[in-house]
Amino acid sequence: MNKNGIRVRFAPSPTGYLHIGGARTALYDWLLARKSGGQFILRIEDTDRNRFVPDAVEDIKSSLRWLGLPWDEGPDAGGAAGPYFQSERLELYQKYAEDLVRAGKAYYCFCTPERLEEMRKRQEAANQPSGYDRHCRALTAEEVEKHLAAGEKYVVRFKVPLAGKIQVRDELRGEMVFDYATLDDFVILKSDGFPTYHLASVVDDHLMGISHVIRGEEWIISLPRHFLLYEALGWEPPAFVHLPIFLSPDGKGKLSKRHGATGVREFREKGYLPEALVNFLLLLGWHPANDQELFTLDEAVEAFSVERISTSPVSFSLDKLDWYNGIYIRRLSPEELAGRCLPFLQRDGLLPDPCPPEQFAYLVRLMPLVQERIKLLSEISQAVGYFLRDEIEPPEPALLIGKKGTAEETAVILDEVIKAITPVTDFGEEHLEQILRALAERLALKPGQLFMPVRVAVTGQTATPGLFELLAALGKEKVINRLQQAITVLRKG
Ligand code: GLU
């Protein structure tokens, strides 16, 4: 065990917005840190300047915060092991690369891109495995000096032993053996002075005292290189845990953009709750000792253990995520749900920003009517739009009339409803129910024959919350105006 206790890092490259695969890694990192009283570190691996996306760092930070996974050290948080942006640590990587060259474990390579391209073509034509042919490995000190004096560009390559095997270890898969013959002399420092991922990752994991590296399975192939670097630098490697890949919902291949949203930001914009996404990701690669399916973050901390992380690929099922979302939406209090829905309603222009307290209070009142009906927060505008708008589009006559009646009969029914409710002072749910049931009886109609046209007239929709509660929530003035509008529509046709 590391002398500093458990220290885990999430090390995204800001080459794009936070992916759900990255979010799962961050979640498992965070859980292990919390469970063990250790630290969760956010490190930005921004050494690939060509693929740098300027607002990616902001997206990564805000997505982690939204998911409820704050970091103990890293950007904004600071910490003794900083800086936490690799682009601010270049001198460190250069120093270690130089140390390795001096120790005879790495070397300068002056091969031009043209030569490397030619080499690649030659290997391809001869059906040989691709990889650097070690051309510069044999350069003498004098030759190196000559190239340097001529101002030639160089990279630093690691000297992989020419024969033999290396044993590496993953906490879930155990020992694995790789033949050196499968590795070429990989670059550790690029010609612009930036490190490659391999060097930067090893140097930082060591200097930051990382005890556990949790990352996606796609990095397993890097393990032999990382172990070689640890050995060459005389450092103890951390424990490595590689997470299973996500398969598409049909289980036929890797999850990709083709299958819909893959960025945390997209899930957020669609109206998934962070609680649901976290619960979903928790069980996408880890399983508890029992068959518990619902976990708050605290419960997840309690239950989590590295040993229960799976090594077989996991299918990404949106249906499951939707199921979780419905559950977590129903768990919220009306106030909380209204607060979560507010940005969506503001986005859709249904409520002002800032939202005045009386309008927010009205929104809270609507929540119990729709809480069971929405699966995504983004559905809220459709679900409560007719409450919040002063007016609605006049409904289609066909929707109002129903199967048996005529336009005029329906207009008469709605007219009777207006007459029955106009004098009413108690516009409460129960009172409205009494009045409308009595009216249906007096007009010799089945309740549905009266309720349906009223429902459509006041909402424009056929599927709505219970009629009486919705009438009460709409209020008398809107109800009467909309009934009148429907009558006009019916008599016009
Ligand atoms: N920067 C790498 C990535 O974006 C990190 C891999 C690792 O965790 O070592 O996935």
Side-chain angles (χ1 to χ4, degrees):
M1 162 81 67
N2 185 297
K3 65 179 181 323
N4 300 312
I6 303 259
R7 283 174 63 81
V8 240
R9 85 322 192 254
F10 176 51
S13 302
T15 52
Y17 296 153
L18 184 62
H19 186 271
I20 38 149
R24 179 188 60 176
T25 303
L27 171 64
Y28 290 12
D29 281 330
W30 185 91
L31 289 171
L32 178 59
R34 283 294 164 279
K35 181 160 192 94
S36 56
Q39 286 92 40
F40 172 50
I41 293 146
L42 175 61
R43 181 172 80 219
I44 305 296
E45 302 209 323
D46 56 348
T47 57
D48 189 345
R49 307 313 284 175
N50 297 326
R51 292 173 58 216
F52 185 74
V53 173
D55 55 343
V57 173
E58 273 317 308
D59 178 80
I60 291 164
K61 291 193 299 185
S62 66
S63 296
L64 289 177
R65 289 195 181 108
W66 177 74
L67 287 166
L69 309 174
W71 50 101
D72 305 303
E73 292 175 33
D76 304 337
Y84 295 92
F85 284 85
Q86 289 188 327
S87 59
E88 295 170 21
R89 302 169 64 83
L90 299 184
E91 282 172 19
L92 282 169
Y93 312 126
Q94 288 160 3
K95 170 193 170 317
Y96 286 107
E98 287 302 327
D99 284 355
L100 288 173
V101 171
R102 237 174 293 122
K105 294 175 179 172
Y107 60 93
Y108 290 173
C109 166
F110 298 92
C111 290
T112 60
E114 293 75 36
R115 181 182 178 275
L116 293 175
E117 181 56 24
E118 205 181 290
M119 172 198 81
R120 206 185 52 77
K121 286 200 184 127
R122 220 180 327 113
Q123 288 169 338
E124 211 176 75
N127 246 337
Q128 284 169 347
S130 61
Y132 182 59
D133 60 3
R134 302 189 158 120
H135 182 260
C136 292
R137 183 163 167 151
L139 292 181
T140 62
E142 293 76 46
E143 284 168 323
V144 168
E145 277 313 317
K146 246 206 272 163
H147 284 290
L148 289 177
E152 281 176 41
K153 284 190 161 191
Y154 64 89
V155 299
V156 178
R157 290 185 182 272
F158 188 83
K159 262 188 202 168
V160 174
L162 296 174
K165 293 182 183 357
I166 181 163
Q167 183 169 313
V168 303
R169 184 180 158 74
D170 168 276
E171 293 307 299
L172 306 172
R173 297 162 183 80
E175 316 291 341
M176 289 175 278
V177 175
F178 289 80
D179 203 312
Y180 289 134
T182 60
L183 304 174
D184 71 348
D185 288 352
F186 54 96
V187 176
I188 56 175
L189 199 70
K190 296 182 266 188
S191 59
D192 58 3
F194 275 73
T196 56
Y197 157 68
H198 304 299
L199 179 68
S201 160
V202 165
V203 167
D204 286 348
D205 285 341
H206 174 74
L207 295 183
M208 293 182 179
I210 300 302
S211 64
H212 290 71
V213 169
I214 302 180
R215 60 187 175 194
E217 191 172 318
E218 66 274 21
W219 297 107
I220 282 197
I221 46 163
S222 300
L223 260 189
R225 294 188 182 90
H226 294 181
F227 270 75
L228 275 171
L229 281 166
Y230 278 106
E231 195 183 76
L233 290 162
W235 298 336
E236 190 66 30
F240 288 93
V241 179
H242 290 90
L243 306 180
I245 55 167
F246 287 161
L247 293 180
S248 58
D250 60 13
K252 287 200 180 128
K254 263 181 83 172
L255 181 72
S256 74
K257 275 261 161 243
R258 275 183 305 120
H259 305 107
T262 51
V264 171
R265 166 196 291 240
E266 293 164 86
F267 285 99
R268 180 178 181 173
E269 283 166 2
K270 283 189 171 189
Y272 287 98
L273 300 182
E275 298 91 319
L277 198 52
V278 158
N279 198 148
F280 174 68
L281 290 174
L282 172 70
L283 296 184
L284 220 51
W286 174 87
H287 58 96
N290 52 21
D291 52 10
Q292 186 174 342
E293 282 201 285
L294 295 175
F295 288 87
T296 61
L297 265 180
D298 285 344
E299 288 164 346
V301 169
E302 186 70 26
F304 188 75
S305 66
V306 166
E307 299 74 50
R308 294 193 157 276
I309 293 174
S310 133
T311 51
S312 26
V314 281
S315 279
F316 188 91
S317 152
L318 262 189
D319 290 342
K320 190 80 193 203
L321 177 56
D322 288 349
W323 178 77
Y324 277 120
N325 215 47
I327 289 187
Y328 283 100
I329 283 179
R330 291 195 288 280
R331 279 190 176 186
L332 296 175
S333 70
E335 287 75 14
E336 284 171 324
L337 181 57
R340 309 267 191 128
C341 289
L342 183 59
F344 291 86
L345 294 163
Q346 288 170 327
R347 182 186 75 184
D348 294 343
L350 284 164
L351 282 174
D353 186 5
C355 180
E358 31 340 315
Q359 275 178 284
F360 187 74
Y362 181 56
L363 183 62
V364 172
R365 154 148 202 224
L366 298 179
M367 291 299 104
L369 277 66
V370 296
Q371 193 150 14
E372 296 282 337
R373 310 180 66 88
I374 57 170
K375 278 220 174 76
L376 296 173
L377 297 179
S378 55
E379 291 163 2
I380 195 65
S381 297
Q382 165 76 8
V384 300
Y386 55 82
F387 288 104
L388 300 178
R389 290 196 179 91
D390 288 334
E391 289 170 15
I392 57 166
E393 288 284 309
E396 288 295 317
L399 267 190
L400 288 159
I401 296 169
K403 279 193 213 88
K404 292 206 193 102
T406 65
E408 184 48 31
E409 281 164 9
T410 312
V412 169
I413 294 174
L414 296 182
D415 215 19
E416 288 290 341
V417 174
I418 295 181
K419 278 191 214 139
I421 61 176
T422 302
V424 166
T425 46
D426 167 11
F427 211 70
E429 199 178 315
E430 280 159 30
H431 193 213
L432 285 168
E433 177 162 10
Q434 275 171 15
I435 292 173
L436 293 187
R437 287 196 187 279
L439 179 63
E441 214 166 297
R442 186 161 67 71
L443 300 176
L445 295 170
K446 289 198 198 109
Q449 288 176 291
L450 184 119
F451 298 166
M452 195 40 124
V454 173
R455 179 191 309 280
V456 173
V458 300
T459 67
Q461 301 178 12
T462 48
T464 68
L467 180 63
F468 310 111
E469 42 178 355
L470 97 80
L471 292 176
L474 268 172
K476 190 160 140 186
E477 197 187 316
K478 275 189 189 159
V479 170
I480 292 181
N481 287 344
R482 290 179 189 181
L483 289 171
Q484 231 130 30
Q485 163 173 275
I487 293 170
T488 311
V489 166
L490 288 164
R491 292 205 164 130
K492 234 199 283 174

